[in-house]
Amino acid sequence: MKFAKRLDAVPPYLFAELERKVAEAERAGVDVISLGIGDPDLPTPPAVIEALAEAARDPRTHQYPTNHGTEELRTAAAGFYRDRFGVEIDPDGEVIPVLGGKEGVGHIALACLDPGDTCLAPDPGYPPYTSGPVFAGATVHYLPLREESDFLPELESAPEAKLLYLNYPNNPTGATAELDFFEHAIEFARARDLILVHDNAYSEVAFDGYRPPSFLEAPGAKEVGVEIFSLSKGWNMTGWRAGLVAGNAEIVERYRQLKTNLDSGMSEAVQHAAAVALTDERDFPAEISEVYARRRDLLAKGLREVGLEVRVPRATPYFWVRVPEGHSSASFTELMLDEASVLVSPGDSYGPSGAGYVRLSLTVPDSRLEEAVDRITRALVIIQS
């Protein structure tokens, strides 16, 4: 059979490959601890679950939803942005629900890019920053994120482009950005007449009193772009596929037009539950952040004790760790899986500039994380002796 070639233009999806590796090892009877995928191990807030169950019993939620989103969810999103970030969003024209941040990231490329356009994507970065533009027929130009530059891109050296992706707090590096960086990026976007898309998936998972800003807080943000916000990590809702796109009204409307042709919108039962998360359960991410902070400190201590270079994150449930001398990302990943039965994510799977690093996730129970640290320690001691 003959298939479309666009899928051949991107590598197999990273996290699907990691899941395959874990399943393969477990079939062989190996107890693998996966630190490779950022999927929270803790449950969604009970009030959100109850809201879903209540809404699901209403027959009106069994019909097609509107792609524009329910007034309840749009109003809740606007209220959250006002109270959390000090940003005013028009619930009627500047916000739309999306089926998780991943859908937002990938599909916004289809709404904004034509074949032959250039998209600027962070490197290393979330894989859909590449696959979305590639599926739209665009060319991806990588903006390296280097440790010596605090994992912030050098924008001035970028070629002419139509769209720029940014992501802070950052996956996979755990780096953060402040408002002055977003102000600079907005001026860059305005001068280049390009669309800026900020993927804000991790602002609610932060530590030590740090409160990451929204891109939309910066003056002029809504003139040049939008922000994609996700409930996945802050509210332990990865399986719910609940997010939103907010900001520039014209981009939001173009996105809505795209969705009317691609899907039928988010279940109104899920929209009701998401609205409850953004209102009644607004403080829940702070509770989760305390759990991740404890795990962060545990993992940092263990990694340092075996001589690995550790940059302790202020946000995100991720560690971005340089591999020991003599190893590549791939060889260290294989070493961890073969000798420690611990799965980590190879850094170069996130882009060329990720070479020499691995990403470790904090989304496993404390006891399993402690066991993972012990296994890594034993494996490295044996290898080094």
Side-chain angles (χ1 to χ4, degrees):
M1 290 183 282
K2 295 181 179 179
F3 297 100
K5 297 178 180 178
R6 64 177 61 87
L7 285 176
D8 300 328
V10 297
Y13 188 61
L14 168 61
F15 302 115
E17 285 297 292
L18 295 180
E19 288 174 349
R20 184 189 62 79
K21 286 180 178 291
V22 171
E24 188 177 85
E26 290 178 341
R27 280 196 298 271
V30 178
D31 174 31
V32 176
I33 300 175
S34 177
L35 306 183
I37 301 172
D39 193 0
D41 59 297
L42 297 170
T44 303
V48 177
I49 297 171
E50 288 302 315
L52 175 71
E54 176 189 7
R57 285 190 285 268
D58 184 344
R60 291 174 296 180
T61 66
H62 305 171
Q63 298 175 309
Y64 284 124
T66 168
N67 284 101
H68 189 48
T70 63
E71 181 178 1
E72 179 192 29
L73 177 55
R74 288 183 281 107
T75 299
F80 176 81
Y81 262 81
R82 181 183 60 251
D83 297 341
R84 168 68 173 88
F85 300 114
V87 172
E88 293 295 333
I89 291 175
D90 178 3
D92 291 329
E94 294 182 340
V95 61
I96 185 172
V98 295
L99 306 178
K102 184 178 180 181
E103 187 237 321
V105 167
H107 281 174
I108 207 161
L110 297 179
C112 298
L113 295 171
D114 288 319
D117 287 339
T118 297
C119 176
L120 305 176
D123 163 36
Y126 188 37
Y129 303 148
T130 296
S131 58
V134 167
F135 292 159
T139 298
V140 177
H141 178 86
Y142 287 123
L143 298 178
L145 307 182
R146 298 188 175 92
E147 191 165 358
E148 59 268 25
S149 301
D150 293 323
F151 299 109
L152 298 173
E154 173 54 57
L155 298 177
E156 280 67 27
S157 61
E160 292 298 316
K162 192 172 182 180
L163 188 147
L164 164 65
Y165 283 114
L166 293 175
N167 165 224
Y168 293 98
N170 184 260
N171 174 24
T173 69
T176 56
E178 303 306 324
L179 270 184
D180 59 348
F181 171 76
F182 290 133
E183 291 168 356
H184 173 65
I186 288 165
E187 289 305 313
F188 171 78
R190 184 180 288 118
R192 296 289 190 96
D193 190 28
L194 58 76
I195 295 166
L196 199 162
V197 176
H198 181 239
D199 179 13
N200 187 17
Y202 296 98
S203 64
E204 305 314 293
V205 179
F207 319 119
D208 307 325
Y210 176 59
R211 298 282 279 170
S214 161
F215 153 73
L216 295 178
E217 290 182 56
K222 287 197 287 187
E223 297 172 19
V224 300
V226 293
E227 181 162 273
I228 299 170
F229 185 84
S230 171
L231 284 77
S232 288
K233 301 304 193 293
W235 286 266
N236 298 337
M237 293 174 66
T238 51
W240 297 61
R241 312 317 304 137
L244 55 93
V245 173
N248 182 276
E250 185 177 3
I251 299 173
V252 168
E253 172 58 18
R254 296 292 289 182
Y255 196 94
R256 186 195 68 80
Q257 293 176 24
L258 177 75
K259 284 182 71 64
T260 61
N261 288 281
L262 286 180
D263 67 64
S264 296
M266 183 189 299
S267 161
E268 291 194 359
V270 175
Q271 290 191 58
H272 174 62
V276 169
L278 293 173
T279 53
D280 298 349
E281 291 296 321
R282 192 177 289 180
D283 295 332
F284 183 80
E287 300 174 24
I288 294 303
S289 294
E290 291 181 5
V291 174
Y292 287 138
R294 182 178 67 244
R295 295 175 180 178
R296 176 199 63 170
D297 295 344
L298 187 159
L299 184 57
K301 180 176 182 293
L303 295 177
R304 282 172 171 159
E305 286 177 351
V306 293
L308 293 178
E309 295 182 29
V310 176
R311 184 185 178 106
V312 178
R314 288 199 296 171
T316 80
Y318 303 127
F319 269 72
W320 189 239
V321 179
R322 188 182 295 277
V323 301
E325 185 175 351
H327 276 284
S328 66
S329 296
S331 69
F332 187 74
T333 299
E334 290 175 4
L335 172 68
M336 289 297 95
L337 188 57
D338 293 343
E339 301 298 330
S341 299
V342 173
L343 182 69
V344 299
S345 298
D348 49 8
S349 295
Y350 297 91
S353 295
Y357 292 86
V358 291
R359 194 196 76 173
L360 289 76
S361 173
L362 300 172
T363 55
V364 295
D366 291 37
S367 60
R368 294 290 277 174
L369 189 62
E370 291 173 352
E371 173 66 18
V373 170
D374 288 343
R375 292 183 186 184
I376 292 171
T377 299
R378 290 197 300 269
L380 289 179
V381 168
I382 292 172
I383 295 299
Q384 294 167 358
S385 61

